[in-house]
Structures are given as structure tokens and as C-alpha cells.
């Protein structure tokens, strides 16, 4: 599966999904949104340690992975960051390069140095492992045997991609969360918050990034 599997349009260097009518990251400042929502929302980098496991719904452009790896390295943690992402419609390497072109300072070689035109399912570096699990998350997540210390819930908007935000998927997210594990997401949609709470998370709505009034974060008691 490549770019032809997920039709995109461009607004500058920001890819916009034709299928879901939604940009892959904030048109205002995608990197700062990632840092605010997913890193700060999961109390990172303070919680980083050797073997820390981040799991993400929606790999997209890889921006979240690169920002996380940057923060892991800046924190001076000795050891390995494990990053796993579930993605049904991966972009081509060509599209990833264009989407990430405007973000200076990120460790892009960790991702873009991969050979070939398509995104590999696994990349290993000196201080990280990246696994991208392709397919419908409603099938791939239940079959996965891993656990997350922190979840980045970053699918397209629930109104436009409801399958990724259903109660069945949120239940699986909870099942694959380690003790004291956390999640963060840009959305504050009530159905999503209720599904996460029903699945076992303590959930709170907090101020969102930029023009978004609210976002959601939580933890597994």
C-alpha cells in the first residue's frame, strides 16, 4: 500500500487526505501541536526510560515519531525507545519527505533513510525501534500482543473516520495499556471520552492546542 492507496492533496507542504477530508497535522504548526498534545499530554519527556513504549493510532507523516525520538534523545535517556504505530493507509516515502520538509532539526534520517519507495514495517536504530503495523486497526490491534506505556490517539477526526474511534477500538486500547499507562488525543468528542472511560481509563478534558478549545488525556489507574 502506498500513496496511491491514500489519495492526498497539498496545502503547501501539509498533506490533506482526500478520503477523510482532513489534514495530516495542524495547518498552524504541526510540530508544536504534537509536542503539546501527545508529548505534554502524556507527561513526556519526564516519564521516558529505557524500554519506554509509545503506541500510536495513525502513523500519518511520521511527525509524531520523529518529535518523540527527538525528545527522547534530548532527555539524555540511555537505552531504547520502542514506538509502534497502527496505519491502514501508509504514505509513500516521497510523500513523507515532502510532508516533513518544513520541519528542521528533527532526526528525519531515522525514518527517511529507509530504503525503497514504501514505508518499511520495521526500522531499528541505535536507540529506537519503529514498528508500523499495516491494516484495519479493528483487526490488527486485537491481534497485537504488545503493551503501551503511552498512547498517541491520532486518527483522522472522529466525525470523518468513526471506525478508528469506536468503543471496540478504545476497549482494545485499554487492554493493551500497561499499569500506570496514559493516553492523549487532540479530540474532545464526548463519545470518545465516554468510550475511553468505559474501557477503564480515568479521563480528563483539558485545554487544547491553538484554536482547539479542548483535548483529552487520561491514565490507567
Amino acid at each position: 500500500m502506498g500513496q496511491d492507496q491514500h489519495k492526498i492533496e497539498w496545502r503547501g507542504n501539509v498533506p490533506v487526505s482526500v478520503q477523510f477530508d482532513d489534514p495530516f497535522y495542524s495547518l498552524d504548526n504541526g510540530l508544536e501541536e504534537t509536542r503539546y498534545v501527545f508529548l505534554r499530554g502524556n507527561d513526556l519527556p519526564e516519564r521516558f526510560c529505557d524500554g519506554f513504549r509509545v503506541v500510536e493510532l495513525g502513523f500519518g507523516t511520521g511527525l509524531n515519531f520523529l518529535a518523540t525520538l527527538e525528545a527522547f534523545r534530548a532527555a539524555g535517556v540511555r537505552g531504547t525507545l520502542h514506538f509502534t504505530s497502527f496505519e491502514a493507509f501508509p504514505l509513500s516515502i516521497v510523500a513523507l519527505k515532502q510532508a516533513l520538509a518544513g520541519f528542521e532539526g528533527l532526526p528525519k534520517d531515522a525514518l527517511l533513510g529507509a530504503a525503497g519507495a514504501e514505508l518499511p514495517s520495521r526500522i531499528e536504530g541505535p536507540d529506537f525501534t519503529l514498528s508500523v503495523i499495516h491494516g484495519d486497526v479493528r483487526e490488527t490491534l486485537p491481534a497485537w500482543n504488545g503493551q503501551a506505556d503511552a498512547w498517541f490517539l491520532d486518527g483522522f477526526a472522529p466525525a470523518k473516520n468513526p471506525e478508528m474511534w469506536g468503543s471496540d477500538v478504545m476497549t482494545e486500547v485499554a487492554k493493551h495499556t500497561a499499569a500506570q499507562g496514559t493516553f492523549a488525543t487532540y479530540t474532545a468528542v464526548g463519545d470518545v471520552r465516554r468510550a475511553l472511560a468505559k474501557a477503564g481509563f480515568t479521563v480528563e478534558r483539558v485545554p487544547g492546542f491553538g484554536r482547539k478549545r479542548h483535548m483529552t488525556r487520561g491514565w490507567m489507574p
Side-chain angles (χ1 to χ4, degrees), residues 30-200:
L31 180 55
E32 287 306 313
E33 180 182 49
T34 287
R35 289 168 174 161
Y36 181 90
V37 173
F38 297 114
L39 295 180
R40 287 178 55 187
N42 280 290
D43 296 323
L44 302 174
E46 292 81 4
R47 295 172 58 217
F48 280 141
C49 60
D50 180 22
F52 194 83
R53 300 162 294 180
V54 175
V55 187
E56 172 185 56
L57 298 188
F59 184 75
T61 65
L63 181 60
N64 292 344
F65 162 66
L66 294 177
T68 304
L69 181 59
E70 176 194 48
F72 185 81
R73 290 175 172 175
V77 180
R78 293 191 176 187
T80 303
L81 170 71
H82 299 289
F83 197 102
T84 302
S85 187
F86 291 83
E87 175 60 65
F89 305 103
L91 297 176
S92 69
I93 294 295
V94 170
L96 293 181
K97 288 180 178 179
Q98 182 173 343
L100 295 169
F103 300 109
E104 299 298 330
L106 293 179
K108 299 178 191 177
D109 285 348
L111 177 62
L112 301 178
E118 305 297 332
L119 181 67
S121 59
R122 185 173 177 85
I123 302 175
E124 295 187 9
D127 55 356
F128 74 89
T129 64
L130 168 64
S131 300
V132 182
I133 300 173
H134 297 166
D136 189 323
V137 70
R138 293 171 294 181
E139 300 173 357
T140 55
L141 181 52
W144 184 59
N145 61 5
Q147 292 276 296
D149 297 304
W151 280 96
F152 296 178
L153 304 182
D154 195 25
F156 291 109
K160 298 176 180 180
N161 187 21
E163 292 81 4
M164 181 169 273
W165 300 94
S167 59
D168 55 339
V169 175
M170 297 302 102
T171 296
E172 290 295 331
V173 166
K175 286 180 180 178
H176 291 86
T177 301
Q180 309 300 313
T182 62
F183 78 85
T185 177
Y186 63 85
T187 187
V189 171
D191 286 346
V192 174
R193 288 188 286 114
R194 286 187 288 271
L196 287 162
K198 185 177 180 181

